[in-house]
């Protein structure tokens, strides 16, 4: 049960399931006049400029925000659908656009402000000039010591410290393709990504602060190298930053000839300058691995020109970033939000971007707001999970601080209208505009959101497609679900856009199958209109053209706004020798939205024990990371299965979430359902919930 404070300060109790069910049409909120007065995008003509008849040329407006070495000759090349090419013939360097070009006007302005978790350590401001120096030195090290050149891949496993964007920008300066693995992922998860991307260099750090403790991070690199080796891939060099230069904090020894301290090596490149390498607009800029419906994460490959143009344009128009703003996105750079809206978009616009090392509620509920107050943050960007967490930790806490946001963002999961209202009233003090931005790792940048100065906000709804994006909802029969019908369907994007990924690294077929197969109208057509992009999200379209995102329709669980594949977690469980079968389902969680819950069957002759449960938890944490830690692990005698032997996760999900299990008469073993139910819920029947929309759909494809 969550206690929520509403507008009128009435406290009432509500469950998420009730919210989802009673989540009707909400009243509109209008952007404050003060915000409109200073906004980047106030001309309603934008809708015409970015209308379908002006597609694809409308996106030149975003490309023109960048500095090109050579202008493109073709805005969109559709010759090889769905492998769209953007700004073909153009050349540019991403690092130049995010750093060098700002020196003339902004060299003494902070590019990054890095806030260490220990409150006794003061924030560190890095000016554009200083960023230029550091990125050049790191680029020199990568080129001249590590031997990297354009097109090579590098895996970066770093936490939220300045070293991360500096390393990314150094790669971009050389045209080296970076693959950042979220710092919270385990060494094993990192190793499989190292092998898949073919990275010969892995960049890590000895440790960092989290929740008041120094985490030993180097351990992950050693495991990653070993896991990659098992997959037949050799890592030549491990470059190790140190949280405190000169002092090594890890218990894991440095391996001679393989591991090198970056701070030591950098001394050899002091003051060195490296010319930015002029890259083709279509050259890959980075890979970002994400979960899908199979056990193997997909390496989403993002391009140079289209990606940077798209994140710059949307940072300007949707995030309303000006060079004068202090912008704080609390996401981790290890996820796509951090790439696009902490590093590349804000820096391309010469903003000041804040990076915080640690936990938002450490050491207490006021930490986030103290940081915002101290740095005079005026744009704040976070996820519903963080908002729920901050609200729970201190419902009145934001009122105690002198914080004034002009603009706030929510991203990553649906936000309950009541949580939205707390964000608006208490955090934003009714002075800030809110954008609810819907998009995915694959997309590069926002797909649906209100335009902050032009469109009213509707709690719980992402809003219309952003400029140049034309979403549509199709049903399973490929029919369009009309606006205002009250029916849910699969949200698709009818057109290509510059931020869409190029392909899945090393797996072009999977790219076509996952995103285009379902709704392609004609495989032989070179007309983009025949190739809608299938997002794997359920959605509803209101009569006013606002989309409400309901959640994933595939086997992906959205934990705290982060994607985890059920199959990835199941295969981690199966590495425990005692386990014969495993099924993972989403459980509703008050703070994190969804969390995995695990069902396991033991090998014949074995008895359930806490030891086995602990082994499964450990396996999941080791193979994926703590982020995938299950809410509960149930050892059951058998799994509900169809007559053809298919595991019915839908039934288990219904039991976990106290929902109706539906028709089970066609199962091969219907009696097992009651046995499992009793094990999980107890002997007495429980009150059933209707359950949120995504859970009603969960497993429906099985
Ligand atoms: O289900 C949608 C949900 O997050 C998924 C994408 O996750 P990921 O690739 O990790 O990227 C997250 C940040 C861009 C989507 O398929 N999602 C994302 N934004 C929203 C959302 N659900 C509802 N509302 C949103 N604003």
């Amino acid at each position: 049960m969550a206690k929520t404070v509403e507008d009128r300060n009435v406290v009432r109790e509500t469950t998420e399931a009730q919210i989802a069910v009673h989540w009707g049409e909400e009243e509109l909120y209008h952007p404050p006049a003060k915000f409109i007065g200073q906004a980047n995008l106030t001309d309603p003509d934008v809708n015409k400029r970015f209308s379908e008849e002006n597609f694809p040329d409308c996106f030149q407006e975003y490309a023109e925000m960048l500095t090109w070495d050579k202008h493109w000759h073709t805005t969109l090349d559709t010759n090889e659908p769905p492998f769209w090419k953007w700004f073909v013939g153009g050349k540019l360097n991403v690092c130049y656009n995010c750093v060098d070009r700002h020196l003339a006007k902004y060299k003494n302005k902070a590019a990054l402000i890095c806030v260490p978790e220990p409150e006794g350590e003061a924030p560190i401001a890095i000016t554009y000039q200083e960023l230029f120096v550091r990125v050049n030195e790191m680029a020199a090290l990568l080129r001249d010591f590590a031997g990297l050149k354009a097109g090579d891949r590098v895996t970066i496993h770093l936490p939220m410290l300045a070293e991360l964007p500096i390393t990314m920008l150094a790669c971009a300066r050389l045209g080296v393709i970076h693959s950042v693995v979220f710092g919270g992922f385990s060494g094993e998860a990192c190793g499989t990504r190292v092998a898949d991307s073919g990275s010969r260099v892995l960049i890590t750090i000895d440790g960092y602060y989290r929740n008041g403790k120094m985490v030993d991070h180097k351990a992950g690199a050693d495991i990653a190298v070993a896991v990659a080796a098992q997959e037949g891939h050799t890592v030549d060099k491990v470059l190790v930053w140190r949280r405190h230069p000169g002092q090594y904090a890890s218990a894991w020894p440095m391996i001679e000839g393989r591991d090198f301290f970056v701070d030591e090596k950098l001394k050899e490149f002091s003051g060195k300058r490296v010319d930015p390498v002029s890259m083709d607009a279509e050259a890959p800029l980075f890979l970002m691995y994400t979960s899908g419906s199979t056990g193997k994460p997909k390496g989403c490959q993002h391009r140079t020109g289209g990606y940077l143009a798209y994140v710059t344009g949307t940072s300007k128009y949707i995030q309303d970033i000006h060079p004068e703003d202090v912008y704080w996105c609390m996401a981790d750079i290890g996820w796509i939000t951090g790439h696009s809206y902490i590093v590349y978009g804000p820096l391309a616009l010469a903003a000041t971007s804040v990076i915080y090392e640690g936990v938002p509620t450490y050491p207490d509920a006021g930490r986030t707001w103290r940081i915002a107050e101290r740095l005079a943050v005026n744009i704040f960007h976070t996820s519903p999970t963080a908002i729920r967490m901050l609200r729970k930790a201190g419902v009145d806490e934001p009122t105690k601080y002198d914080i004034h946001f002009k603009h706030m963002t929510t991203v990553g999961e649906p936000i309950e209208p009541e949580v939205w209202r707390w964000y608006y009233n208490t955090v934003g003090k009714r002075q800030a505009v809110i954008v609810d931005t819907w998009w995915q790792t694959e997309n590069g940048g926002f797909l649906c959101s209100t335009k902050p100065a032009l469109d009213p906000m509707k709690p719980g709804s992402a809003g219309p497609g952003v400029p140049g994006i034309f979403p549509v909802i199709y049903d399973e029969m490929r029919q369009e679900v009309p606006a205002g019908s009250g029916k849910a369907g699969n949200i698709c994007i009818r057109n290509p856009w510059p931020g869409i990924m190029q392909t899945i690294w090393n797996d072009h077929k999977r790219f076509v199958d996952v995103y285009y197969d379902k709704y392609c109208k004609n495989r032989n057509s070179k007309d983009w209109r025949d190739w809608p992009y299938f997002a794997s999200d359920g959605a509803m379209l209101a009569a006013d053209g606002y989309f409400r995102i309901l959640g994933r329709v595939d086997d992906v669980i959205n934990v705290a706004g982060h994607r985890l594949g059920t199959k990835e977690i199941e295969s981690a469980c199966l590495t425990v020798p005692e386990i014969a079968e495993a099924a993972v389902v989403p459980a509703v969680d008050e703070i994190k939205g969804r969390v995995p819950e695990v069902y396991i069957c033991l090998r014949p002759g074995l008895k359930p024990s806490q030891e086995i449960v602990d082994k499964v938890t450990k396996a999941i944490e080791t193979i994926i990371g703590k982020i995938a830690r299950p809410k509960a692990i149930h050892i059951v005698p058998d799994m509900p299965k169809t007559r053809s032997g298919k595991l019915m996760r839908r039934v288990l999900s219904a039991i976990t979430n106290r929902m109706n299990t539906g028709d089970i008469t066609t199962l091969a073993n219907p009696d097992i359902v009651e046995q499992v139910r009793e094990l999980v819920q107890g002997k007495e029947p429980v009150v059933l919930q209707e359950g949120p929309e995504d859970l009603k759909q969960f497993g429906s494809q099985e």
Side-chain angles (χ1 to χ4, degrees), residues 290 336-337 410-414 436-442 537 549 551-552 558 561 563:
T290 191
I336 192 71
T337 301
T410 155
V411 64
E413 318 151 65
D436 178 345
T437 58
W438 168 71
W439 60 297
Q440 313 169 303
T441 306
E442 292 86 342
D537 271 324
I549 308 299
R552 304 287 303 191
N558 192 335
R563 277 163 67 169

Side-chain angles (χ1 to χ4, degrees), residues 648-670:
M648 292 298 281
R649 290 181 186 78
R650 174 179 63 77
V651 174
L652 296 173
S653 162
I655 293 174
T656 282
N657 296 295
R658 275 69 177 153
M659 290 160 62
N660 193 326
T661 48
D663 181 12
I664 50 166
T665 52
T666 55
L667 294 186
N669 52 353

Side-chain angles (χ1 to χ4, degrees), residues 20-301:
V21 173
H22 299 296
W23 199 345
E25 275 302 283
E26 293 286 330
E27 62 176 309
L28 298 176
Y29 289 66
H30 291 274
K34 195 167 163 207
F35 176 82
I36 298 172
Q38 59 79 63
N40 282 324
L41 183 62
T42 49
D43 181 1
D45 225 31
V46 65
N47 294 328
K48 215 186 301 142
R49 288 205 311 275
F50 281 83
S51 66
E52 205 168 330
E53 69 202 45
N54 290 330
F55 177 87
D57 288 339
C58 53
F59 282 117
Q60 301 205 39
E61 186 167 326
Y62 289 174
E64 301 287 4
M65 294 176 188
L66 305 179
T67 307
W68 294 75
D69 303 330
K70 189 169 161 228
H71 201 275
W72 59 95
H73 53 69
T74 308
T75 304
L76 171 65
D77 174 347
T78 64
N79 271 315
E80 221 192 313
F83 301 94
W84 319 115
K85 296 180 184 63
W86 282 94
F87 308 118
V88 187
K91 287 191 150 228
L92 75 168
N93 181 276
V94 166
C95 179
Y96 177 87
N97 273 278
C98 292
V99 184
D100 306 38
R101 69 166 175 159
H102 303 317
L103 296 181
K105 219 166 151 191
Y106 298 115
K107 65 171 177 283
N108 283 326
K109 193 181 102 68
L112 302 171
I113 302 181
C114 303
V115 183
E117 192 192 71
E119 229 167 340
E121 282 187 40
I124 305 152
I126 299 178
T127 62
Y128 274 96
Q129 172 67 21
E130 178 65 11
L131 185 61
F132 173 75
V133 169
R134 297 231 204 144
V135 166
N136 269 280
E137 291 175 352
M138 186 60 184
L141 185 156
L142 294 179
R143 184 187 66 185
D144 300 340
F145 172 67
L148 293 166
K149 55 179 189 323
D152 292 345
R153 279 84 55 210
V154 162
T155 298
I156 305 175
H157 193 213
L158 287 174
M160 286 292 284
L161 295 166
E163 285 73 9
L164 177 48
I166 288 172
T167 309
M168 290 161 70
L169 289 163
C171 289
R173 195 165 189 85
L174 299 171
V176 168
I177 304 168
H178 60 68
S179 166
V180 177
V181 175
F182 168 55
F185 271 137
S186 68
E188 294 211 18
C190 181
T192 52
R193 287 155 174 81
V194 166
D196 190 79
S197 62
S199 303
R200 297 210 161 263
V201 175
L202 170 63
I203 304 177
T204 187
I205 193 162
D206 58 345
Y208 62 99
Y209 290 99
R210 192 157 178 86
N211 245 331
K213 291 195 199 82
M214 183 78 157
V215 177
D216 189 336
H217 193 64
K218 163 69 162 51
D222 292 296
I223 297 165
V225 172
V227 167
Q230 280 164 19
E231 298 194 15
H233 178 80
T234 310
V235 172
D236 300 330
K237 283 194 172 67
V238 177
L239 304 180
V240 186
W241 289 93
R242 282 185 282 195
R243 173 66 175 77
H244 301 285
Q247 301 166 40
Y248 186 52
S250 170
W252 290 59
M254 296 287 279
I255 309 284
E256 188 143 359
R258 189 200 73 180
D259 300 355
F260 303 90
F261 289 129
V262 177
D263 59 297
E264 256 169 29
K265 278 280 151 205
L266 274 176
K267 290 182 190 145
E268 295 168 26
F269 299 97
S270 168
K272 190 101 180 140
R273 299 286 184 265
V274 172
D275 285 339
V277 178
S278 192
M279 300 299 294
D280 276 343
E282 276 294 306
L285 175 65
F286 67 85
L287 307 179
M288 163 117 309
Y289 283 86
T290 191
S291 298
S293 46
T294 71
K296 192 171 178 267
K298 306 175 277 202
C300 297
Q301 178 183 319

